[in-house]
Amino acid sequence: DSLNYLLEEDDLLTTFKLVNNYLDPNGLFIFDFNTVYKYETVIGDSTIAENREDCSFIWENYYTAEDQINEYDLTIFVKQQKDLFRKFTETHLQRGYTLEQMQEILQKAGLVFLKAIDVDTQGEVTEQTERICIIAREHGKRKEA
């Protein structure tokens, strides 16, 4: 979900243009991303916590539909000694994208969209797909003879 960390469409467009630039002629670009549905419906405005042997965490999500941004605050406790844990905190911002948004940005970047797959089912993308894998192809270069 590294592309979800790109919060602005212009940053995503720049990234895709660079990918297209550095791919070999007809080279493939395969990536995945979390969808708006996942942030809005599955994890948005929820808290997830796990207690494990060597670490524990609290993961608090806050979703804003207007900008499709999911903010999550992580509090992590990592075992340092027998009964001593160290506390770490992090805040992350990720943006959900729709398949249509990704296709449009890929096209603007000069890449050719080939296929989208639901990562969990390995089947067709639906309205309830949480993570999408996309296969795109470089466009515009010619192989040297």
Side-chain angles (χ1 to χ4, degrees):
D1 56 348
S2 60
L3 292 174
N4 293 102
Y5 281 99
L6 299 176
L7 306 180
E8 301 295 330
E9 286 189 15
D10 284 344
D11 293 334
L12 196 57
L13 176 61
T14 298
T15 300
F16 288 169
K17 284 180 177 180
L18 288 167
V19 166
N20 194 44
N21 183 55
Y22 287 103
L23 280 173
D24 286 338
N26 293 311
L28 296 178
F29 176 43
I30 302 171
F31 66 95
D32 67 353
F33 66 96
N34 289 321
T35 64
V36 168
Y37 172 81
K38 179 177 182 176
Y39 292 123
E40 191 170 55
T41 307
V42 178
I43 65 172
D45 298 321
S46 69
T47 299
I48 302 164
E50 284 192 23
N51 188 17
R52 300 178 181 176
E53 182 74 23
D54 293 331
C55 70
S56 298
F57 68 85
I58 303 167
W59 174 4
E60 300 172 280
N61 291 281
Y62 310 97
Y63 182 72
T64 308
E66 297 82 49
D67 54 13
Q68 298 172 304
I69 301 290
N70 188 68
E71 175 183 334
Y72 59 93
D73 296 324
L74 284 173
T75 304
I76 305 165
F77 301 91
V78 178
K79 192 174 197 174
Q80 301 293 300
Q81 297 174 10
K82 183 178 179 183
D83 292 325
L84 179 65
F85 286 75
R86 184 168 183 193
K87 179 182 176 182
F88 298 90
T89 59
E90 299 177 358
T91 297
H92 293 253
L93 297 174
Q94 292 185 345
R95 180 174 177 188
Y97 289 97
T98 65
L99 177 56
E100 293 77 17
Q101 285 172 307
M102 283 293 185
Q103 288 173 313
E104 182 180 323
I105 297 167
L106 284 167
Q107 181 182 12
K108 285 181 183 177
L111 289 157
V112 177
F113 171 83
L114 298 177
K115 186 170 181 129
I117 302 165
D118 183 306
V119 169
D120 294 322
T121 67
Q122 300 298 300
E124 295 292 320
V125 171
T126 69
E127 290 180 7
Q128 289 80 37
T129 296
E130 296 178 29
R131 182 185 294 271
I132 297 173
C133 177
I134 287 184
I135 302 169
R137 183 172 41 80
E138 182 279 334
H139 180 70
K141 296 185 196 114
R142 294 178 184 239
K143 289 185 179 182
E144 294 182 24

